[in-house]
Amino acid sequence: MAVVPELVSLRISAWSLKARFALKYHCIKYRTTPYLPVFGELKLRLRLWEWRRKLTVPIMFTPKDGVLVQSYDIAQWADRHSARPDAVQLFPEGKEVQIASWNAKSDAVLFFGRSALVESLLSDPAALRQQIPPGLRWLGLLGTALTAAIARWLRDKYREESSRTSLTRVLDVFREAQAVLRGPGALGPDGERHLVGGALSYADIAMAVAVQALKPFGPSSAASARPPLKVLQPYQAEFADLIAWRDALFAKYFPTDTKSD
């Protein structure tokens, strides 16, 4: 039996979704190991023999190319190992700087979204209970307490990243993306609109995932469903075109269902 890559990912993590999107686009077979913050970190550190650096997921263990520790790196690896006959390069030559810039803008949105999500969960017990990992639900109230402890741990762990972004920055990114997609240069020969060079690239994936913070995509019953952020809901009408673009991109390349990991 062929050995396939192992993706260690967090069910609700937008960065894990970026990696999964790229892998799915390239039709790469892999297995998923669910990651549970706090409890799973020690095991992961032991596997990596890493004791100083801040660990985040996704992390992918490949059969021949070592360990990949960022969604961006995983997507680049997927580009080099595509199993999709009609695939385009998500990192086309000459467009690396533009794609990296859009990925950084996506991260600014996602840093804000993660912080806002954690704060909203800590202030809303009902929403918090909905995010209890399946493996902890049998614990009842103790499971709720553990999930709250995980949320506080995430807030403290990523405090620095949260301090580098803001609602204003998020809205600026969305406005820029929507303006670019409305421009004549965004329309590609495939009839779709793209952020870089009129063709699908990782910039589209990164920003499509970032729009999850504005309005989650897919059925709320899905295992990977992300709760909407109240702070961004008032802006959904302004960014209706951006949301529609994201919906079309997901529907074509990453349709969601209730079995999403």
Side-chain angles (χ1 to χ4, degrees):
M1 183 179 295
V3 179
V4 299
E6 175 193 0
L7 184 71
V8 181
S9 67
L10 181 61
R11 179 174 59 91
I12 202 172
S13 163
W15 286 273
S16 293
L17 179 55
K18 283 186 186 184
R20 289 167 46 219
F21 199 132
L23 291 166
K24 186 168 185 176
Y25 171 75
H26 280 300
C27 300
I28 294 173
K29 294 181 179 180
Y30 66 95
R31 61 188 178 92
T32 300
T33 297
Y35 175 77
L36 185 61
V38 182
F39 304 100
E41 181 163 326
L42 178 58
K43 179 180 178 181
L44 195 54
R45 287 190 180 279
L46 285 170
R47 289 187 67 182
L48 296 170
W49 206 247
E50 172 61 66
W51 304 104
R52 295 181 179 274
R53 182 173 52 86
K54 181 187 294 184
L55 285 186
T56 62
V57 294
I59 290 175
M60 193 166 79
F61 294 87
T62 68
K64 298 180 180 179
D65 299 313
V67 181
L68 307 173
V69 296
Q70 299 287 341
S71 54
Y72 197 82
D73 297 333
I74 293 169
Q76 289 182 313
W77 180 91
D79 236 21
R80 299 190 298 270
H81 296 80
S82 182
R84 179 175 181 148
D86 63 342
V88 300
Q89 290 293 300
L90 297 178
F91 297 85
E93 186 176 354
K95 304 296 183 182
E96 297 89 349
V97 173
Q98 294 159 276
I99 292 170
S101 176
W102 279 112
N103 186 61
K105 293 167 186 174
S106 166
D107 282 349
V109 172
L110 296 177
F111 289 152
F112 178 85
R114 178 172 55 197
S115 177
L117 174 60
V118 168
E119 294 297 341
S120 67
L121 292 178
L122 289 173
S123 64
D124 186 344
L128 182 69
R129 286 193 293 272
Q130 292 178 356
Q131 296 304 316
I132 296 175
L136 296 180
R137 288 174 185 165
W138 65 274
L139 293 173
L141 291 177
L142 180 57
T144 302
L146 287 173
T147 303
I150 290 172
R152 289 191 291 270
W153 179 82
L154 288 171
R155 179 184 59 191
D156 295 339
K157 179 177 181 178
Y158 296 110
R159 194 179 301 275
E160 179 183 350
E161 289 86 346
S162 300
S163 70
R164 299 201 302 263
T165 188
S166 66
L167 176 59
T168 299
R169 172 63 172 150
V170 168
L171 297 178
D172 286 345
V173 169
F174 285 152
R175 288 172 182 139
E176 181 183 0
Q178 186 160 260
V180 169
L181 291 167
R182 285 173 173 171
L187 187 62
D190 58 1
E192 300 172 0
R193 292 189 173 273
H194 303 286
L195 289 167
V196 174
L200 179 70
S201 73
Y202 186 72
D204 294 326
I205 291 176
M207 280 309 304
V209 171
V211 178
Q212 294 284 83
L214 181 65
K215 184 181 180 182
F217 178 75
S220 59
S221 58
S224 57
R226 291 157 180 80
L229 299 178
K230 294 180 181 179
V231 68
L232 287 174
Q233 287 183 7
Y235 301 96
Q236 290 184 9
E238 177 183 354
F239 299 114
D241 288 354
L242 187 61
I243 293 170
W245 168 80
R246 183 279 312 272
D247 290 352
L249 195 74
F250 264 76
K252 183 172 183 177
Y253 296 113
F254 199 157
T256 59
D257 54 40
T258 56
K259 297 180 180 179
S260 298
D261 61 352

